[in-house]
Structures are given as structure tokens and as C-alpha cells.
Amino acid sequence: MMTRTRCDHTPAWAQLQAAYQATGKDFDLREAFAADGQRFARFSQSAPLVFADLSKNRIDAASQELLFQLAHESGLLAHRDAMYAGVPINNTEQRAVWHTLLRAPSDAATASAEEAQALTQVHDTLDAMLIYAEAVRADAAITDVVNIGIGGSDLGPQMAVLALDAFATSGKRLHFVSNVDGHELAATLAHLKPGSTLFLVASKTFTTIETMTNAQSAKRWFESNGGVDIARHFAALTTNVAAAKDFGITTTFGFWDWVGGRYSLWSAIGLPLAIAIGAQGFREFLAGAHAMDQHFRTAPLETNLPVRLGLLDLWYRNFHGFTSRSIAPYHSALRRLPAYLQQLEMESNGKRVDATGAALPFGTSPVLWGEPGTNGQHAYFQMLHQGTDVVPVEFVAVKKPRHHLDAHHPLLLANVLAQAQALMVGKADAGGHKHFPGNRPSTFLLLDDLTPASFGALIALQEHRVFVSGALWGINSFDQWGVELGKVLAKDIAPRLASGDTQGLDGSTAGLLGMLRA
Ligand code: F6P
């Protein structure tokens, strides 16, 4: 049962349309700053471990007020509370959406027997997983850990291990193999020895064809290169413990169907991170996310950062008509953040029907893309500054560096400030090639330091802002039916590649199949 009112059915929606026509579409950031010396203070805020400057966005107090009204009228708060309460808001799969429980402390207040039981299971599994992580860290014979998984079973742990590299104390080399393209696994295995390698087969379902194919090949390689003791050299991270056993893996760490794949970094899927940074670091990572969970759950709308970001996303997508958002982390350790956010946002909110199945008359997920700064500046920032489309940019900067090289960090920070400034202020040049129109919006997220806790908070912030826009759009952000058709067709095509049978195929697929067989 949906208790939400879809955004376009609220009174605020029509008022926002009027506000967009009256002041929104011609809003000029430079004029807004000139008119209000307090704009920075008014449109920035702190949230746990993250500071956010929203002042360089095309928003004024009146439209922001209407967006808050929209949030109230759409039932956002009730929907949020339903998520925290474990109501099956993933209505097409009848599942709760309870990743927040994965980072709740063991003594957190629970609202039902079911929640209390789930929390106990979470902590039992977490404790066991962290004991295992510490044992692996202490095992000098294991030099390499290979995570085999794809999508949420790869993007999160890979991003996190890179992001927290400064805290990696295990001395192990961590590898991530996701693609069914054998080049990836072959290149990884080429440098490994069975006796010193631990494979983590990470798959929520334990049926994903890429992961199963890579895991089978890894097992064959292990056995044919003299590897013994699968129990010691393979572990599974999955909700499908039975399938892992059938595969021959006895060391398994489970999780639950109420953990979405793209929200699973906090579960056993986070084991590579726990191995890299240790049990204490992993607990700090969970605690940082929990602090953001509490903020999202309790802060008033007006100072609730995930709410403000999600509302801004909707304002840009549905009123300004911006179709993409660029994410620019000015920290090379965050280089996989854009890829992670692509799945988080686009798999969650890339939907064309609402939760009842009715077609939507407005746009949903923006295209998310980006690269770390300053690299992006020398690639696609040209388009951001002077292209025909306006692309809101989300900068992420970290105040303290974790290296000791002189000059670099001030230069990095100068660049991120300069880019945000240049996008906004522009530069008049008679409208020609050297003219920068300016008035291009950006959000600036600032961490004091990139630590397990602040990183956890940053990722939880992103999860919740995606929840907010999805809730307002009235969609189910927690299923992903759109990935199924291609999987089914690949199963049909695979034997045809061997047999050459093109019966019933469209002309193009048949033609290409013939060329691949020739
Ligand atoms: O193909 C989509 C998807 O289901 C993602 O949602 C998920 O993260 C990924 O595949 C991997 O799934 P699994 O962890 O079950 O192997």
C-alpha cells in the first residue's frame, strides 16, 4: 500500500510551476549573491561529517519553501519512516529496505520484535565477518585477496577500498574482478599463486552469470595449479548460502533479502574493505553512515541535507529540465565514486512508471557521470563551461591531504574552488568563442578529512538523497527490472553463437551473429 502522493499530484507542484515561470527560469546566481550578502550562510549547512554549500544553485528562499511544502504534501516523511520501520516499500518484490539497520549499533532502539531480531542477526554476522577479516589480515601466507562480484557486489567494495587506501594496514593486495570478459580474470590470475590467494565470491543471489562464470574459472585455475583446501581459499558473501555450499564453498557470510544489491556495501559484501582497514576501521565506517542515518531520520526538513539535495535534484530535473548531473570528486582516492553513484542513482531511479505501474508524465533519474578533478577539467569541463546544455556539478573536496608532498593540495583546492566559481561567474567576451555565460549551478560537498567515518557518512548521504527524489517521484527505487531483459536474451543468444541458428532473430542481430561466427 502506497501512502505517498506523487509529486505532480500535490498542490505545491502547480505552485512550483508558477514559481519557475515567475523567477526560476531566469534566476541568476550572480544577482542572487549581489542581492543577499548572507546567501552563503543561508544556503549552506553542516550534516554529520559533511559540510554542504548549496548557495551556487538556482534556488531562492521562496522556491526552496515550496519544495519543502512539496515534501510535506507528498508524504515523504511517512515514506522515510516506513523505510526505517522495515515496511516492504520495495513493493514489486515485497521486500523491506533496511540497509540502515546494517549500520545501527547493537544497542539501538528497535520498534518491533522483527526489527530486534534482524538487528541481532546483523550484529552476529558482522562480528563473525570481522573476526574472519582480522584472521585473514593476520595470515601471512595470504598475500592477495580477489573479490569476484559485479554491480553492487563490486562497485561499493572496490570504491571503498580505494577511498580508504590511506587506512589500509593489512599489507594484502586487493583485486576486483567483475566483468565476464575473461581478459579481466586472466590478467588478475596471471600474477597470483593459489597457495597465497583468497577468493571472495560476492553475489547476493549467487546466480549472476558473470560472477558464477568467473568463480568457476577461478576454482578451475586454483585446482589445476596445485591449489588445495578450497575451504581456506574461497569464501562466499551471499544471501544464498545453499547455492554457495553447492558450489563447494563452506566459509560463507550471509545477508538478507532486505539489503538491496546497490545498498550492500555495509553488509558482508564489505568484507574486502574490512580486510583492508581492519575491524575497527570498518566499525567507524558504519558509525559514520549511522550518524547520517540519524540526521536523515530526525533533522527538520529545512536542515536535512539529504532532503535538500533530493529536492534540488527534482527541481533541476522536472522544472529546469536538466537531464544530467556531473560528479567531480577532487580527491583521487574517490575515483570510483562516479561509477558507484551511477548504479545508486540510475538503477534506483531510472524508472518510467510509478510504484503502482502508472506511466510517469515527467522525467526521473538524471544521467550521472564524472571523473576526479583535476583530470575532468582537461577533458569535458569545456562542455560544462561553454556547451549548450546546463549540467549541475557536484564537487566533493577534502580539506586535509593524507600525503606529505608540498604544494599539491593547495593547488588541488584552488582548482576546485576556481571551477565552481568559473561556472557561476562566467566571463563576458562579446558573446564569441571566449565568452563564458556563467550562471551554471554547482553544489560543493566538503569533508574535513577522508576517514572511514566521513566516507561512510558521504555514501549514506548519497543513498538518502536518491531515496528522497525517488519517493517524491512516486517510484519504487529498490527494484531493477530493467536489467532483466538483456540477461534473458543473452541466454538465448549464447547457444546460437555456437550453433549458428538465427531463426526468429531480427536482421541486425542475425547479421552480427553471422559475422562473429565467420
Ligand atoms: O544486474 C543487476 C544486479 O541485480 C544489481 O542490482 C546487483 O548489484 C548485481 O546485479 C549483482 O547481483 P548479485 O550480487 O546477486 O550477483
Side-chain angles (χ1 to χ4, degrees):
M1 253 314 278
M2 290 292 123
T3 50
R4 284 179 286 169
T5 303
R6 211 173 73 191
C7 54
D8 57 325
H9 296 155
T10 62
W13 184 263
Q15 289 176 260
L16 278 161
Q17 281 173 327
Y20 175 72
Q21 290 305 328
T23 55
K25 69 177 167 44
D26 298 320
F27 186 87
D28 191 294
L29 285 162
R30 295 152 295 196
E31 287 168 17
F33 274 98
D36 180 3
Q38 294 304 306
R39 183 171 172 84
F40 173 71
R42 257 192 259 283
F43 287 92
S44 64
Q45 74 161 92
S46 292
L49 301 164
V50 181
F51 175 82
D53 174 19
L54 309 180
S55 65
K56 290 205 265 334
N57 281 293
R58 294 191 192 174
I59 185 99
D60 58 18
S63 41
Q64 184 169 258
E65 205 41 57
L66 284 173
L67 287 166
F68 291 138
Q69 191 187 318
L70 176 80
H72 277 298
E73 290 172 0
S74 70
L76 172 69
L77 298 184
H79 196 58
R80 173 197 67 187
D81 294 344
M83 173 176 76
Y84 279 99
V87 174
I89 60 169
N90 174 355
N91 64 312
T92 64
E93 298 178 300
Q94 273 308 304
R95 288 178 184 166
V97 174
W98 239 350
H99 46 274
T100 51
L101 213 55
L102 298 170
R103 48 237 190 176
S106 56
D107 59 355
T110 50
S112 64
E114 195 195 348
E115 186 179 355
Q117 191 190 15
L119 189 61
T120 303
Q121 289 173 352
V122 163
H123 279 275
D124 288 350
T125 308
L126 175 64
D127 293 346
M129 174 188 114
L130 293 181
I131 288 170
Y132 179 76
E134 287 297 342
V136 171
R137 284 162 61 82
D139 186 344
I142 299 293
T143 56
D144 293 84
V145 179
V146 183
N147 189 79
I148 296 179
I150 196 165
S153 300
D154 165 70
L155 292 163
Q158 186 179 163
M159 164 188 70
V161 164
L162 290 170
L164 297 174
D165 185 52
F167 295 82
T169 48
S170 72
K172 314 285 179 208
R173 285 180 293 265
L174 281 120
H175 312 267
F176 290 84
V177 174
S178 55
N179 203 326
V180 74
D181 180 350
H183 293 105
E184 202 172 274
L185 180 62
T188 305
L189 295 178
H191 305 286
L192 302 179
K193 293 193 174 63
S196 55
T197 303
L198 170 65
F199 292 96
L200 304 176
V201 183
S203 177
K204 177 177 170 181
T205 55
F206 226 80
T207 58
T208 304
I209 190 76
E210 291 92 335
T211 302
M212 292 304 105
T213 306
N214 280 323
Q216 290 290 1
S217 296
K219 193 173 161 197
R220 264 197 306 277
W221 169 88
F222 180 80
E223 287 171 340
S224 60
N225 285 280
V228 282
D229 202 355
I230 296 258
R232 177 166 144 72
H233 291 275
F234 281 77
L237 321 173
T238 185
T239 59
N240 191 351
V241 172
K245 285 233 164 73
D246 287 348
F247 184 91
I249 299 181
T250 47
T251 309
T252 55
F253 297 96
F255 55 110
W256 305 272
D257 71 358
W258 44 259
V259 182
R262 52 193 174 275
Y263 301 86
S264 62
L265 171 59
W266 325 92
S267 72
I269 294 294
L271 180 58
L273 177 65
I275 291 173
I277 67 171
Q280 181 56 28
F282 195 81
R283 288 190 192 276
E284 288 168 17
F285 166 66
L286 296 180
H290 178 66
M292 190 59 76
D293 292 342
Q294 292 297 88
H295 169 78
F296 180 48
R297 194 173 191 173
T298 58
L301 288 186
E302 293 71 18
T303 51
N304 193 313
L305 187 55
V307 170
R308 293 178 81 185
L309 287 175
L311 287 170
L312 205 50
D313 293 342
L314 174 138
W315 177 237
Y316 281 161
R317 185 73 184 92
N318 302 131
F319 295 89
H320 285 271
F322 302 152
T323 55
S324 88
R325 178 166 80 245
S326 187
I327 173 97
Y330 273 66
H331 197 305
S332 74
L334 294 174
R335 60 191 174 277
R336 290 296 288 171
L337 180 65
Y340 174 84
L341 293 180
Q342 280 177 337
Q343 187 196 21
L344 181 63
E345 177 98 39
M346 294 160 77
E347 200 174 73
S348 297
N349 286 346
K351 310 285 165 68
R352 53 173 288 285
V353 297
D354 69 17
T356 70
L360 293 170
F362 50 75
T364 57
S365 172
V367 176
L368 220 79
W369 57 286
E371 281 286 324
T374 59
N375 296 3
Q377 291 173 210
H378 298 273
Y380 54 78
F381 268 56
Q382 162 66 38
M383 179 268 202
L384 297 180
H385 288 290
Q386 289 189 314
T388 50
D389 292 295
V390 173
V391 179
V393 181
E394 190 155 298
F395 294 100
V396 183
V398 180
K399 194 170 150 191
K400 287 186 198 145
R402 285 257 166 195
H403 63 75
H404 300 290
L405 299 174
D406 282 345
H408 289 257
H409 207 64
L411 206 49
L412 181 72
L413 295 180
N415 268 278
V416 66
L417 282 176
Q419 289 301 322
Q421 183 190 26
L423 283 167
M424 177 173 75
V425 299
K427 180 171 166 280
D429 195 75
H433 298 291
K434 296 181 181 172
H435 179 77
F436 289 69
N439 199 29
R440 304 218 156 178
S442 66
T443 293
F444 200 105
L445 300 180
L446 179 61
L447 308 184
D448 198 40
D449 193 2
L450 185 60
T451 63
S454 70
F455 177 67
L458 176 70
I459 300 306
L461 169 67
Q462 297 291 345
E463 288 178 349
H464 294 320
R465 71 101 69 89
V466 168
F467 175 92
V468 169
S469 53
L472 298 166
W473 285 327
I475 61 185
N476 177 1
S477 299
F478 301 100
D479 59 10
Q480 56 283 321
W481 298 107
V483 301
E484 294 304 320
L485 178 59
K487 291 185 191 173
V488 172
L489 295 184
K491 263 198 188 135
D492 171 61
I493 290 176
R496 291 172 183 267
L497 265 174
S499 69
D501 173 18
T502 58
Q503 220 191 345
L505 292 181
D506 63 87
S508 169
T509 308
L512 291 169
L513 191 138
M515 288 183 71
L516 288 170
R517 279 175 48 80

